[in-house]
Amino acid sequence: MNSQTDKRPAISYLRISTDMQLKGTGNQRQLEATKAYAKEKNFELINTLDDHGKSGFKGLNIARGSLGDFKKNLTKGLIPKNTVLIVESLDRLSRQEPTTAFTLLSDILRYGIEIHTLIDRQIYTWESINENPSMLFMSIGTMMRAFDESKTKSARMLATWESKRKRIPAGEVLTKVVPSWIEVVSNNDGTRILKLKERDADTIRHIFDLATNENMGSFQITTYLNKNIRKYPKVNANWKSKPNKDWGQSFVVKLLKSKATYGALEIKKSNGIELIEDYYPAVIKKEKFLLAKKCISERALERGRKGDLFPNLFFGLLECGCCSSPIGYKDSGKKGKEYLMCNKRKVLRAGCSNRGWQYDNFQESFLTHIKEINIEDVFSNTEVEERLNDLRMKEASLQVRITTIQSEIDSLIDMSTQPDLNDISKKRFISKINASENTHNELNIELSEVKSELTRLAEFKPSKEHDQLLQQFKKICDLSSSADPEKHEEIKAVRMKFNYLLRRLINKVVIFNDDRNKVLPWEYDRELTAENDSELAEENDGLLTEKSDSALPKEFTDWFWSSRNSKSKYKTLESFLATERGQQELSKFTRYFMVKFKNGNLARVDYRGRMSFNSWKSKLKPKTNS
């Protein structure tokens, strides 16, 4: 028989809980010792399990590590019973409570696995710990010592951090590692303080201004910074990193997401992240950070290919008046053949009667309305102040609820750690804690949104926003004739900013371009015509003629009787309205849209951009033909 097949299979298990141990060659030391032991005992090392960074004290190596997978494979019968598991010492397997650690040990041994320890060169089998009491006591003693060491170390570290936290109000610096726009400065008395690097701080403030005021995304901000690199030199990504002359998009994203920009320190803990506010000197206000976060989330809806010029200025605002589906932009590939069309009609080609509206025509109607409207009438100071008061009350209410739920969570945690608590009760407490934490997180998200809206309204100046919107459209017109590929990104940025400014004023625009204004031929017989206007009515075999069409929109009848229409094909309005084309042409003169502004006010606007109804001057409802 080949000597190679006589070797017993062995598996090496390595675990170090920190990167510092890894840098200290702890991993390599364990592996080399294992290989030497396997060679000495004539074992075949078939696998190495590595739980680098998984805490044995918290049980992470079992919960989501290689040792947990090893245990599952044992239960499935995937590992031979005569296999040897080689570890540096028993505390590599677990540093949890002795009862939990011993249960793990006995579970592994029960499946016929031998555990060999390198430090004390002990061999543990199911038979040896049952037949030899001294070995059983020795294993339990090792586990107790490992648990006590980890518990003491954990308590010492927690006490150190707690002591440092208490000294934060006095300006205590917890760590030397700080964000790159901050430096640690030593005073004459030996104390250390944190200080902003003003040039870097100014650059970061400008980045947040670009995100909130100019509606720029990370790609556009990065491009802008690199074009103005002398004015805005790169802020280093890490306090130890070498200077890099170019800005990277990933670092801009990290800056925009970093809570350290408003002074908060994030500490990773086993149960989540602890946030210590007002630790760092703040570059921006928290409200500015939240506003930027909101702007970024809204921009996520409008992402497209980098080559697109953002053709639809009304992206994310349009809604179908018939089925409430979003209205999208449809490009046929021919100039002047771009349409706004209900998504339901576009995809299903049925199910909605709202017709497409030629994009250029709608844009002209909408901009006519925006140019002529008195924005101060729409947004009165009283309404803005009322909205601010409502939001302030909601903010206070949310803060009370968050504080109350946090107190409940703390109480539940205290009760769940009582020593005499049984497993069933403990699980119930954990379930309640999880539910409360979910509610706590949801309320915090809602509070962030309220604070963002408060910041936006506090800075909201309707006339200024309106002027910026019109100026932005002028820029669009000035750039639209340019065919220079190098200007594509600039054109896209200008168009996206127009959309952003529009969404600061308007919630949505509902389009009505269906058959609700349809005029049927038989609705215009001579009796109806005579009743409406007897002087213009004229006998003509019951048909509508040039003198008997006053009930229709004047613009439509003028168009029909103009030379543009082929009179040879349609002699009368009645015959024209009997066709699909006739109804389509009529809808161009009867369609309208409703503009819903941010404060809830409404305006009904016809196809020419003329406002026929508004909720801030009149409570009348828009007229529709029955």
Side-chain angles (χ1 to χ4, degrees), residues 42 112 116 133 149 216 234 281 284 392 407 412 454 456 529 555:
N42 198 32
H116 292 221
E149 286 175 357
M216 286 190 182
K234 172 128 187 297
I284 57 170
R392 288 182 188 120
S407 298
L412 287 168
L454 276 168
R456 188 191 70 80
T529 305
E555 293 85 352

Side-chain angles (χ1 to χ4, degrees), residues 179-182 195-209 235 255 258-264 278-286 288-289:
S180 54
W181 58 90
I182 294 172
K195 186 180 178 182
L196 284 177
K197 299 175 185 176
E198 281 305 326
R199 189 171 184 182
D200 289 348
D202 287 341
T203 299
I204 294 170
R205 291 185 194 105
H206 192 61
I207 288 172
F208 276 87
D209 285 340
V235 176
L255 274 178
S258 173
K259 293 181 175 67
T261 54
Y262 69 83
D278 302 319
Y279 173 71
Y280 296 120
V283 180
I284 57 170
K285 291 183 178 179
K286 185 177 181 179
K288 185 81 169 180
F289 175 85

Side-chain angles (χ1 to χ4, degrees), residues 451-476:
K451 286 184 175 180
S452 296
E453 185 67 7
L454 276 168
T455 303
R456 188 191 70 80
L457 280 178
E459 299 175 353
F460 182 67
K461 306 293 180 189
S463 57
K464 182 181 177 182
E465 300 274 345
H466 187 246
D467 291 343
Q468 285 182 342
L469 187 68
L470 298 181
Q471 289 168 12
Q472 201 67 17
F473 186 70
K474 186 177 182 304
K475 288 182 183 178
I476 290 173

Side-chain angles (χ1 to χ4, degrees), residues 398-458:
L398 285 169
Q399 286 173 338
V400 170
R401 290 178 65 190
I402 288 169
T403 303
T404 303
I405 290 176
Q406 184 59 58
S407 298
E408 291 175 0
I409 291 171
D410 293 341
S411 298
L412 287 168
I413 290 173
D414 289 340
M415 288 187 281
S416 67
T417 55
Q418 295 298 320
D420 56 344
L421 203 65
N422 59 49
D423 290 341
I424 296 174
S425 298
K426 188 177 288 187
K427 286 180 180 179
R428 286 175 182 169
F429 276 118
I430 292 171
S431 178
K432 287 181 180 179
I433 290 168
N434 290 336
S436 297
E437 285 182 340
N438 289 336
T439 304
H440 190 269
N441 292 336
E442 289 170 2
L443 290 175
N444 270 312
I445 292 170
E446 189 177 354
L447 180 61
S448 296
E449 291 173 352
V450 169
K451 286 184 175 180
S452 296
E453 185 67 7
L454 276 168
T455 303
R456 188 191 70 80
L457 280 178

Side-chain angles (χ1 to χ4, degrees), residues 74 97 199 396 452 457 478 520:
L74 282 176
E97 300 92 336
R199 189 171 184 182
S452 296
L457 280 178
D478 293 341
L520 301 174

Side-chain angles (χ1 to χ4, degrees), residues 600-619:
N601 278 335
L602 295 170
R604 184 185 191 274
V605 185
D606 67 17
Y607 73 99
R608 294 160 295 187
R610 297 188 307 195
M611 185 168 60
S612 57
F613 157 82
N614 64 69
S615 62
W616 59 92
K617 289 182 180 178
S618 169
K619 296 300 179 184

Side-chain angles (χ1 to χ4, degrees), residues 24-259:
T25 67
N27 219 39
Q28 188 64 27
R29 184 197 70 245
Q30 291 182 38
L31 184 58
E32 288 177 356
T34 301
K35 287 180 178 178
Y37 184 83
K39 185 177 180 180
E40 176 191 332
K41 296 293 184 180
N42 198 32
F43 295 153
E44 181 185 3
L45 200 60
I46 60 173
N47 195 10
T48 297
L49 307 178
D50 190 347
D51 273 334
H52 155 238
K54 305 287 193 309
S55 171
F57 180 60
K58 297 173 183 175
L60 298 181
N61 59 330
I62 302 167
R64 49 177 186 263
S66 298
L67 189 61
D69 294 336
F70 174 78
K71 189 179 174 184
K72 288 176 185 176
N73 289 334
L74 282 176
T75 61
K76 293 176 182 178
L78 300 178
I79 298 174
K81 286 190 175 183
N82 64 335
T83 301
V84 175
L85 181 64
I86 305 173
V87 295
E88 188 177 47
S89 65
L90 285 181
D91 65 0
R92 294 300 88 198
L93 295 176
S94 177
R95 297 181 76 91
Q96 291 179 285
E97 300 92 336
T99 51
T100 304
F102 185 75
T103 300
L104 172 67
L105 175 69
S106 60
D107 284 346
I108 294 172
L109 298 178
R110 186 180 286 110
Y111 283 98
I113 303 299
E114 279 189 11
I115 297 177
H116 292 221
T117 56
L118 298 175
I119 289 180
D120 54 8
R121 301 181 77 83
Q122 294 294 321
I123 299 175
Y124 296 89
T125 66
W126 178 255
E127 292 76 19
S128 66
I129 62 169
N130 282 292
E131 295 173 2
N132 188 347
S134 62
M135 181 163 282
L136 174 64
F137 296 144
M138 185 170 61
S139 64
I140 294 174
T142 302
M143 293 169 186
M144 289 179 67
R145 185 179 66 254
F147 174 69
D148 286 340
E149 286 175 357
S150 292
K151 186 178 179 181
T152 302
K153 182 180 177 183
S154 176
R156 191 182 300 122
M157 289 176 67
L158 286 172
T160 302
W161 271 103
E162 198 58 43
S163 175
K164 287 183 177 181
R165 284 192 193 97
K166 290 177 181 178
R167 297 198 297 272
I168 287 176
E172 176 76 24
V173 178
L174 299 188
T175 173
K176 292 181 181 179
V177 181
V178 296
S180 54
W181 58 90
I182 294 172
E183 57 183 339
V184 181
V185 180
S186 297
N187 288 329
N188 294 330
D189 60 359
T191 59
R192 297 178 301 162
I193 60 169
L194 301 176
K195 186 180 178 182
L196 284 177
K197 299 175 185 176
E198 281 305 326
R199 189 171 184 182
D200 289 348
D202 287 341
T203 299
I204 294 170
R205 291 185 194 105
H206 192 61
I207 288 172
F208 276 87
D209 285 340
L210 293 173
T212 55
N213 299 339
E214 300 297 325
N215 192 36
M216 286 190 182
S218 58
F219 177 78
Q220 292 171 322
I221 292 172
T222 306
T223 303
Y224 172 88
L225 292 172
N226 284 325
K227 283 182 179 178
N228 299 274
I229 197 73
R230 290 188 178 181
K231 189 175 181 181
Y232 304 108
K234 172 128 187 297
V235 176
N236 289 330
N238 188 288
W239 72 288
K240 284 183 177 179
S241 68
K242 296 179 180 179
N244 186 343
K245 67 174 184 177
D246 292 328
W247 284 87
Q249 185 179 357
S250 61
F251 180 54
V252 171
V253 171
K254 287 178 182 177
L255 274 178
L256 290 168
K257 291 182 177 180
S258 173
K259 293 181 175 67

